[in-house]
Amino acid sequence: LHGAFEVQFLCAQRGAGVLLNISAKFWRISRPDWRVTAQVWTMGLEITTLSLAYNRLVHVAPELGDLKLLRELDCSCNRLVNLPARIGALRHLRVLKCNGNSLELLPEELGSCMQLEEVICSENKLVALPRSLGNLRKLHTLLAQNNSLAMVPPTIADVRKTLTTINLAARTPRGESRAAPRGRRGVSAASRRRRGLGSAARPVRVDTAVSASAAP
């Protein structure tokens, strides 16, 4: 992004907060390393919703933790390989969308975001989920399908009272049939990625405690 004026121009009022939408603005983001301009991280007492989706971001600065009033973060469909540990400083964060990246792990500090209600981390390269997710007693949605998860932490059972939607289906191996689930025909691949749905997939192996907690 080029300068403070343009950042302010992209802001919009949303209820009592401010939405900063930089989705699909990759031609305006600092090159050559595809990072968000530092101006964004100085707006900690303004931004409540930040959308960075559909760019070519490879990095989110630790200063993300300075956005103290942030309630919703969408950094989906980028090239991220990690999220900063300081995400744990976002004590008002309710929604995290980081699907469609190349994340292998989520930071354990995510468990300090006690207001988190939705975590959408599908379509990544995750091999594990943080044990600290069990601290999120308001979590009702966890979408982590189409990753490389072999097992999920038993601490997920600690949020069984609030967790109403969970998808941990594993990535479909190459060559395996990808028949569309009933009711999903006609939905484009791009549209499914935006919504964190991913493609049809086989179930992931989970331990007994988690299986019980996900049961209706």
Side-chain angles (χ1 to χ4, degrees):
L1 294 175
H2 300 297
F5 175 79
E6 189 167 2
V7 171
Q8 293 290 343
F9 178 77
L10 292 169
C11 289
Q13 199 71 28
R14 175 182 279 188
V18 172
L19 162 66
L20 177 55
N21 187 355
I22 319 179
S23 296
K25 299 285 192 303
F26 59 84
W27 63 91
R28 298 179 179 181
I29 290 177
S30 301
R31 302 181 185 186
D33 54 355
W34 304 104
R35 297 172 184 241
V36 178
T37 178
Q39 174 65 25
V40 171
W41 315 126
T42 66
M43 303 176 69
L45 298 180
E46 301 177 53
I47 301 175
T48 55
T49 302
L50 177 60
S51 180
L52 302 172
Y54 288 96
N55 289 296
R56 296 174 180 174
L57 294 176
V58 297
H59 177 78
V60 174
E63 286 78 10
L64 171 69
D66 294 336
L67 304 181
K68 299 298 185 184
L69 300 182
L70 196 65
R71 294 198 294 263
E72 181 172 341
L73 173 62
D74 183 357
C75 56
S76 58
C77 301
N78 282 292
R79 300 174 179 177
L80 301 173
V81 295
N82 57 56
L83 294 177
R86 285 197 62 203
I87 196 172
L90 302 178
R91 301 305 168 88
H92 295 280
L93 191 65
R94 297 178 183 176
V95 178
L96 172 62
K97 299 177 182 177
C98 56
N99 52 293
N101 283 286
S102 297
L103 302 172
E104 295 184 0
L105 294 171
L106 295 177
E108 282 290 341
E109 289 80 0
L110 204 60
S112 297
C113 303
M114 303 300 290
Q115 301 301 315
L116 258 179
E117 299 174 357
E118 299 181 29
V119 175
I120 301 176
C121 55
S122 53
E123 300 283 350
N124 277 289
K125 299 178 180 179
L126 295 174
V127 296
L129 294 174
R131 295 180 59 86
S132 61
L133 289 181
N135 298 337
L136 306 178
R137 302 309 168 90
K138 294 187 178 183
L139 187 68
H140 60 70
T141 299
L142 174 60
L143 300 181
Q145 70 272 24
N146 285 348
N147 281 289
S148 300
L149 298 173
M151 182 174 280
V152 292
T155 52
I156 293 294
D158 296 338
V159 293
R160 62 184 181 277
K161 292 183 179 179
T162 58
L163 197 59
T164 59
T165 303
I166 181 170
N167 191 338
L168 303 175
R171 189 183 305 276
T172 304
R174 287 186 178 182
E176 189 171 312
S177 173
R178 288 179 176 268
R182 185 174 300 176
R184 296 295 184 194
R185 297 185 185 277
V187 180
S188 70
S191 175
R192 295 176 68 79
R193 283 196 297 272
R194 279 198 301 274
R195 293 155 58 186
L197 294 173
S199 55
R202 57 187 174 82
V204 70
R205 182 171 64 90
V206 296
D207 60 29
T208 306
V210 178
S211 299
S213 71

